[in-house]
Amino acid sequence: MGDEKRPQGIFAGYGRDGRMLASHATLIGVFNLIFAAFLLLARKTDRPISERVEPSDILLLGVATHKLSWLVARESITSPLRAPFTEFQEEDSTTHVDEKPRGEGLQYALGELLTCHFCLGQWVASFFVYGLVLAPRLTRLVAALFATVTLSDHLHQTYKALMNRA
C-alpha cells in the first residue's frame, strides 16, 4: 500500500485500518445537507414541525423503518441496489444474502451503509420523519404498508416455529 492511500491532515492519526474517513465524512455531510434542505422546505411550504411526535407515529415509523432498512440491506430482491457498492459473499437463505462493501472511498462507504441495516435505519427513519412533516398522509400510508409486512413476517415465523414443534 503506497503513501497515497494513507490518511492525510486531520485523519492522519487515525491510521488506515481499512476505513476511509473522508468518505464517511462526506456521507455525514450529505445526511446533514438533506436535513437542512428538509428544514428549509418545511419553512418555505409553511409545514409546521410539531413540538412532539405522537407515540402512535413513533411506533408506526419505527416498525416501518425496521422493515425497510432490513429490506434494503439484506434481502436478495434489493441486491441490484447494493451491487455497485458490494461484493456477494453467500446466500444466508433463499431470501437473504451476505455481502461486503467493495471498492474504495465513497463506493466503499456506501457499501458499508447499504449492508448495515442499523446504519441504514437512521437514514430511513429520517426520511419517514421528513415525510411525516411534508406529506403526513402519504407517509403514514407507506409506513403502514411496511409495518403490515413486518407483522405478517413475524406471524409467518411464529407459525413456522409452532409447526416445527408439533
Side-chain angles (χ1 to χ4, degrees):
M1 204 176 294
D3 287 337
E4 70 280 354
K5 299 285 185 182
R6 294 190 181 274
Q8 302 291 320
I10 61 173
F11 299 136
Y14 195 83
R16 174 98 164 109
D17 194 28
R19 296 184 177 262
M20 292 155 216
L21 296 180
S23 296
H24 290 157
T26 299
L27 288 179
I28 292 168
V30 168
F31 183 88
N32 287 305
L33 183 64
I34 293 169
F35 179 60
F38 155 72
L39 291 174
L40 288 172
L41 183 60
R43 185 173 189 183
K44 189 173 182 102
T45 59
D46 292 324
R47 297 286 184 171
I49 298 175
S50 65
E51 285 191 35
R52 86 184 195 97
V53 179
E54 294 298 321
S56 58
D57 282 330
I58 292 172
L59 180 62
L60 176 65
L61 299 184
V63 173
T65 295
H66 163 78
K67 182 59 183 175
L68 186 54
S69 60
W70 179 268
L71 176 71
V72 172
R74 302 280 292 150
E75 297 287 337
S76 60
I77 194 71
T78 54
S79 57
L81 302 175
R82 297 183 304 273
F85 311 101
T86 62
E87 181 179 307
F88 179 80
Q89 295 297 294
E90 64 181 308
E91 279 187 304
D92 288 348
S93 70
T94 56
T95 60
H96 304 122
V97 293
D98 184 25
E99 298 164 324
K100 70 176 189 175
R102 68 180 169 104
E104 293 185 8
L106 197 53
Q107 179 188 25
Y108 188 87
L110 284 167
E112 286 183 318
L113 177 63
L114 291 173
T115 57
C116 174
H117 56 278
F118 296 109
C119 307
L120 200 53
Q122 181 174 338
W123 289 72
V124 171
S126 296
F127 286 115
F128 273 129
V129 170
Y130 303 160
L132 193 60
V133 171
L134 299 173
R137 292 176 74 171
L138 178 60
T139 300
R140 285 188 183 101
L141 179 67
V142 171
L145 179 136
F146 286 106
T148 302
V149 172
T150 302
L151 178 59
S152 174
D153 288 350
H154 286 286
L155 289 172
H156 286 305
Q157 292 300 326
T158 301
Y159 178 80
K160 183 179 174 181
L162 289 172
M163 295 308 291
N164 286 340
R165 286 176 60 190

